[in-house]
Amino acid sequence: WDASDDIANSHTNPPRGLYADARFREGFAQLAPLGLSFEAWQYHPQLPDVWSLAAMHSLSVRLGRRVGGSTGTNLVAALACARSMVARGESGAIVTLLCDAGERYRHTYFDDAWLAAQGLECGAESDAIDALIERGEWPDELRRSWRLAGDLN
């Protein structure tokens, strides 16, 4: 479940906080004794590679250490979460992980010539990610290209 109009909820329209609901957890606890497991579709953002790389580069500069592309994607998701919270008038903390170290990408994602050869130059997008972080300005191109796993529309 997500209150954001940018995120499609499941066709079953689950309520907010479903996994924390006592009745859900009681039912969940019955699965293992029956030899059953729980599987669920968990939505996660999908964006064009150039935006994941742009966020990766922006965050790497800010941290003073390299991070990988999935961390860039995760950064954009955390920023979207913050935007959604602000829109709902909510405050709170957003906790996320650095998914991967970026040292193994020094000859690819951190190599300007390699990025150019792959058509993945992301300087302008990195600047746009910086503006998003610093001023909350969502780039139109990023907003148009945002997708969620499982979104078939």
Side-chain angles (χ1 to χ4, degrees):
W1 182 89
D2 195 287
S4 171
D5 290 336
D6 294 337
I7 300 176
N9 288 307
S10 166
H11 68 280
T12 61
N13 198 25
R16 181 177 187 168
L18 174 65
Y19 292 164
D21 182 88
R23 290 176 299 145
F24 177 85
R25 295 178 75 77
E26 288 170 14
F28 184 86
Q30 301 301 310
L31 297 177
L34 298 172
L36 301 173
S37 64
F38 176 75
E39 295 182 24
W41 282 71
Q42 301 293 328
Y43 286 93
H44 62 87
Q46 293 180 336
L47 15 142
D49 290 342
V50 69
W51 285 103
S52 292
L53 295 173
M56 172 195 82
H57 282 273
S58 178
L59 185 58
S60 292
V61 169
R62 290 171 184 280
L63 294 177
R65 66 182 288 273
R66 291 179 175 152
V67 299
S70 57
T71 297
T73 303
N74 202 22
L75 172 61
V76 174
L79 293 168
C81 181
R83 184 183 93 196
S84 181
M85 288 173 67
V86 168
R88 294 190 308 267
E90 298 176 356
S91 63
I94 299 169
V95 178
T96 188
L97 301 173
L98 295 179
C99 306
D100 52 349
E103 288 307 313
R104 65 181 165 194
Y105 305 117
R106 69 181 174 274
H107 299 298
T108 55
Y109 298 158
F110 287 98
D111 180 316
D112 290 338
W114 185 90
L115 289 171
Q118 307 304 313
L120 293 172
E121 296 158 303
C122 57
E125 290 83 359
S126 290
D127 292 343
I129 292 291
D130 288 338
L132 171 56
I133 292 169
E134 293 164 12
R135 297 183 296 280
E137 298 170 1
W138 276 83
D140 289 336
E141 181 62 29
L142 176 56
R143 190 185 313 259
R144 283 191 300 272
S145 62
W146 176 271
R147 296 284 180 273
L148 291 170
D151 183 4
L152 301 178
N153 294 332

